[in-house]
Amino acid sequence: MRTVIAGGHGQIALRLEHLLSARGDEVAGIIRKAEQGDDLRRAGAEPVLLDLESASVEEVAAHLQGADAAVFAAGAGPGSGTARKDTVDRGAAVLFADAAVRARVRRFVVVSAMGADPAHQGDEVFDVYLRAKGEADAYVARQDALDWTILRPGALTNDAGSGLVRLEARTGRGPVPRDDVAAVLAELVDTAATAGLTLELISGSTPVSVAVKSVAGN
């Protein structure tokens, strides 16, 4: 299958690209800087140079044509101000969802954040971030033309993945290695039976494939 990933140079995205390409899938990653392309190629992905803060729906949809799945893994990142939380964490997610609908790509997976809530209160940067992610998630969830799944990982770490997770509608807070987040995403991409679910993810005791099958009702 072919998967297009927004935020293709992110730490989770690079891991996901490697996993998908290693199993024989076609992967493309959307990046903002040409110099990031070599990292994607090393992960087995095709780099697509496109700025989601300025691109049109039509431009993004053109790169989604023929894809089987789309993954939104972009983010303004630490150190960015409140303005980019709106333009990237909310705006780019909305744009990517609209483009997927335009390109008739039904399978749509979002990397969100634990605590994301459109009604989250506060004016600090992290408050704005959680509100922006919540607004994006709510927008995606209203799109009847998408078979969407929203994944909300706990505190991300660079520890080696254990392959053991807790994946539920509500897990409570906890850490999770980026390796394991990518492994869960790789399973979710081709598990359409998880469509319509918003899931929290932390480290646990259940193998990734079993955890995904469990929430899918298998």
Side-chain angles (χ1 to χ4, degrees):
M1 66 187 289
R2 177 174 172 81
T3 300
V4 178
I5 301 170
H9 194 256
Q11 295 186 65
I12 291 171
L14 286 167
R15 288 166 167 83
L16 176 59
E17 287 155 4
H18 175 76
L19 291 174
L20 294 177
S21 63
R23 74 184 190 191
D25 287 4
E26 235 184 274
V27 196
I30 296 174
I31 54 175
R32 287 194 309 125
K33 300 175 182 176
E35 59 265 29
Q36 297 170 335
D38 285 345
D39 289 336
L40 270 73
R41 293 183 191 96
R42 279 190 287 271
E46 165 203 340
V48 174
L49 191 61
L50 188 68
D51 188 345
L52 293 176
E53 288 180 271
S54 60
S56 67
V57 172
E58 291 77 14
E59 287 172 323
V60 181
H63 292 290
L64 283 165
Q65 290 293 337
D68 300 290
V71 177
F72 184 81
S80 59
T82 56
R84 293 200 71 229
K85 303 305 182 193
D86 183 66
T87 57
V88 179
D89 294 293
R90 185 201 60 79
V94 167
L95 173 71
F96 200 57
D98 286 346
V101 172
R102 180 77 58 93
R104 293 187 172 87
V105 180
R106 288 205 64 93
R107 189 71 182 117
F108 195 87
V109 179
V110 177
V111 183
S112 185
M114 199 171 285
D117 183 349
H120 183 85
Q121 300 297 305
D123 299 314
E124 297 296 323
V125 173
F126 194 64
D127 297 321
V128 175
Y129 168 73
L130 290 177
R131 195 157 54 243
K133 293 296 283 185
E135 288 169 354
D137 292 354
Y139 184 85
V140 168
R142 291 195 295 270
Q143 306 309 307
D144 293 336
L146 298 177
D147 293 331
W148 56 267
T149 303
I150 294 168
L151 183 67
R152 293 177 171 171
L156 299 169
T157 75
N158 284 326
D159 296 340
S162 68
L164 299 173
V165 299
R166 184 176 172 195
L167 179 69
E168 298 168 16
R170 292 283 183 272
T171 61
R173 295 190 178 275
V176 62
R178 289 178 172 87
D179 287 351
D180 290 335
V181 178
V184 168
L185 289 168
E187 292 279 341
L188 288 175
V189 159
D190 56 5
T191 308
T194 60
L197 299 180
T198 299
L199 301 166
E200 293 184 350
L201 173 69
I202 58 175
S203 291
S205 57
T206 306
V208 165
S209 60
V210 175
V212 172
K213 285 186 175 72
S214 178
V215 294
N218 299 330

